[in-house]
Amino acid sequence: MNDLLKTALRITLFVLAASILIWAAYPPLRTITAGLTMGAVASGINALLLQRRVDMIGRTIAEQGVQRTSLGFMSRLATVLLAVMFALKFPQHLDIVSTIIGCFLVPFFILLVGITKRQHKP
């Protein structure tokens, strides 16, 4: 796993911890923080699936020279759809908007980490 993904997942874990603490300490925000947690978990799973897929494609091309097709995008899309469907099914427990926002946390953190690490290089 590369440094960008490790750092982004670490930041996401801090956001998850803060979200759970807010969920426990401030009951009026429970649906929002639960939705954010659900989306962030789906986003982390998607990032790990993408990393695994990129490693697998690299190994396959290095060994065989031919890329095989698979359902990589569809599995990541299904993960996000599952999180959103849970939010739609249980609106009393999960906020749909915060779930969708949470689904984009890890890519956003990867972008921020990449920009900040680029600025520190000479």
Side-chain angles (χ1 to χ4, degrees), residues 46 49-50 53 56 69-79:
N46 279 344
L49 284 173
L50 183 61
R53 178 74 180 137
M56 189 170 53
T69 60
S70 74
L71 301 174
F73 174 73
M74 296 305 276
S75 64
R76 293 189 308 273
L77 182 65
T79 305

Side-chain angles (χ1 to χ4, degrees), residues 51-68:
Q51 177 68 34
R52 192 183 109 227
R53 178 74 180 137
V54 167
D55 288 344
M56 189 170 53
I57 287 173
R59 263 187 273 116
T60 302
I61 290 177
E63 292 171 359
Q64 301 170 356
V66 179
Q67 177 185 350
R68 66 181 180 105

Side-chain angles (χ1 to χ4, degrees), residues 11-102:
I11 293 169
T12 305
L13 286 176
F14 284 128
V15 169
L16 284 172
S19 178
I20 291 171
L21 286 175
I22 292 170
W23 180 86
Y26 195 63
L29 292 179
R30 281 196 174 173
T31 58
I32 294 171
T33 55
L36 186 66
T37 302
M38 173 71 88
V41 167
S43 183
I45 290 170
N46 279 344
L48 292 174
L49 284 173
L50 183 61
Q51 177 68 34
R52 192 183 109 227
R53 178 74 180 137
V54 167
D55 288 344
M56 189 170 53
I57 287 173
R59 263 187 273 116
T60 302
I61 290 177
E63 292 171 359
Q64 301 170 356
V66 179
Q67 177 185 350
R68 66 181 180 105
T69 60
S70 74
L71 301 174
F73 174 73
M74 296 305 276
S75 64
R76 293 189 308 273
L77 182 65
T79 305
V80 171
L81 285 175
L82 184 67
V84 171
M85 288 177 71
F86 269 120
L88 288 173
K89 180 77 173 167
F90 302 108
Q92 68 274 16
H93 299 295
L94 299 167
D95 181 49
I96 184 71
V97 175
S98 62
T99 302
I100 292 171
I101 290 170

